[in-house]
Amino acid sequence: MMNVVVFAPHQDDEIIGCFHQIQKMQKNGSNINIIFTSNGNYKGEKISIVRYHESLQALKMCGIGARHIYYMGYDDTGMRMKHSFLWRLYKEADPFAVIQAKHIHTWHPVEGMTLHKMYSGKEALFCKKNFEDDLEYALLHFNPDLILMPSRYDSHGDHKALAYLLQETIHRLRLNIIYFCYLIHTSDEGLWPNRKGINYTKPNDLDDYLWNKRKSFFYSDKQRIIKREAIEKFITQNPFENQSFLLSFAKREEFFLPF
């Protein structure tokens, strides 16, 4: 049985980036755990509660229940580098410096147990050292053979920072893990993902070498429709907005870039 951990910055990334893979591996008997680094509270704590339940509904369509969903409990403050809490955390030179966001310590959107509280008995201040400790605990506790994670080529600050922080933690621990890196945000979201077609086209800001190195998996039209239904669970994220940006990920293909 394969141990799989899906790292997602926000509630919907796990479905948009790798719904088919999660569903397929769950059916094949893999042990899958989902870890959200933020509470998805960019638009407020009330929205984070709704997003929690939206994700729960969508993941149930993959066969994943609440006991396999974990929250690190950090804040979601925006996409651009200057706004992104996680990017600011990653770039902070002092590992113990507390980064001010909407909160200053970890919390759970429905008053559950954050990852940090699970192993330490208390919440964590928002600093780089605590975040890295949480990643280290997750990697050693769940002992994954495979990780599904954001790509370092993603243009969202939270996604890019999580990719770098995971990479550094894995290298520090000298772990031998397979990586599938999903891509969601690019510099031109008006054109990518392509709004028409059942397969992806290359993003303009990704070089040919990386695109040709991607690992693609293909699924049936029926599965594509099921993924669309899962994405539609995220009403708070307006799936029809921006020319149905989120729904354009409901293709017959899911691809992953090199680590």
Side-chain angles (χ1 to χ4, degrees):
M1 182 174 67
M2 180 179 284
N3 287 332
V4 180
V5 174
V6 180
F7 283 96
H10 318 98
Q11 297 69 31
D12 70 357
D13 293 325
E14 79 288 7
I15 298 299
I16 297 166
C18 38
F19 173 85
H20 291 312
Q21 275 296 299
I22 295 172
Q23 188 181 59
K24 177 183 176 181
M25 291 186 295
Q26 195 278 334
K27 287 181 178 178
N28 289 341
S30 294
N31 180 40
I32 304 173
N33 290 291
I34 315 295
I35 298 178
F36 292 110
T37 60
S38 87
N39 290 331
N41 60 313
Y42 175 62
K43 295 182 180 179
E45 291 186 20
K46 290 183 178 179
I47 294 296
S48 72
I49 297 171
V50 180
R51 290 188 78 170
Y52 171 88
H53 291 288
E54 289 173 342
S55 180
L56 199 61
Q57 291 178 46
L59 283 168
K60 280 182 180 178
M61 296 177 68
C62 301
I64 305 296
R67 68 188 184 94
H68 289 281
I69 302 171
Y70 297 87
Y71 278 70
M72 288 174 63
Y74 292 84
D75 276 346
D76 171 15
T77 58
M79 175 176 176
R80 295 184 180 182
M81 301 300 179
K82 65 180 180 179
H83 299 146
S84 163
F85 163 76
L86 203 50
W87 184 255
R88 289 163 52 210
L89 192 80
Y90 170 65
K91 298 298 287 185
E92 175 56 56
D94 180 356
F96 294 97
V98 176
I99 306 297
Q100 179 69 50
K102 297 181 179 181
H103 302 79
I104 60 168
H105 58 74
T106 54
W107 56 286
H108 193 287
V110 295
E111 299 182 359
M113 188 85 72
T114 63
L115 207 62
H116 195 90
K117 195 169 184 178
M118 279 176 55
Y119 71 86
S120 72
K122 59 183 180 181
E123 298 295 356
L125 287 172
F126 283 175
C127 70
K128 188 175 183 179
K129 179 64 168 62
N130 284 335
F131 191 91
E132 290 174 335
D133 286 349
D134 290 352
L135 290 182
E136 182 173 323
Y137 171 78
L139 292 167
L140 295 177
H141 178 74
F142 294 111
N143 190 28
D145 305 295
L146 170 67
I147 288 177
L148 303 178
M149 58 182 279
S151 169
R152 60 190 285 186
Y153 303 104
D154 198 296
S155 64
H156 193 305
D158 287 352
H159 290 231
K160 185 182 290 289
L162 177 56
Y164 280 118
L165 286 161
L166 268 170
Q167 181 179 25
E168 292 174 3
T169 304
I170 290 163
H171 285 178
R172 185 173 66 255
L173 296 174
R174 299 182 179 180
L175 299 177
N176 184 23
I177 303 173
I178 300 170
Y179 315 93
F180 283 2
C181 302
Y182 55 85
L183 180 71
I184 294 179
H185 299 279
T186 67
S187 62
D188 192 353
E189 295 186 348
L191 296 176
W192 196 91
N194 45 303
R195 302 310 197 258
K196 295 182 179 179
I198 57 175
N199 296 323
Y200 290 98
T201 57
K202 186 182 81 68
N204 290 331
D205 57 358
L206 198 69
D207 65 45
D208 291 338
Y209 175 79
L210 283 169
W211 183 246
N212 293 333
K213 282 283 189 179
R214 76 192 186 281
K215 185 185 293 290
S216 289
F217 299 88
F218 296 91
Y219 304 89
S220 67
D221 283 328
K222 181 179 179 180
Q223 288 171 305
R224 180 171 62 90
I225 292 169
I226 293 172
K227 180 171 181 176
R228 180 186 174 95
E229 291 172 353
I231 294 172
E232 287 178 346
K233 299 291 184 186
F234 295 94
I235 298 171
T236 59
Q237 304 312 298
N238 303 315
F240 292 94
E241 194 176 63
N242 190 12
Q243 299 175 297
S244 298
F245 171 73
L246 294 188
L247 293 172
S248 65
F249 287 90
K251 299 190 185 301
R252 289 185 62 183
E253 176 186 5
E254 279 183 348
F255 73 89
F256 301 91
L257 296 173
F259 183 64

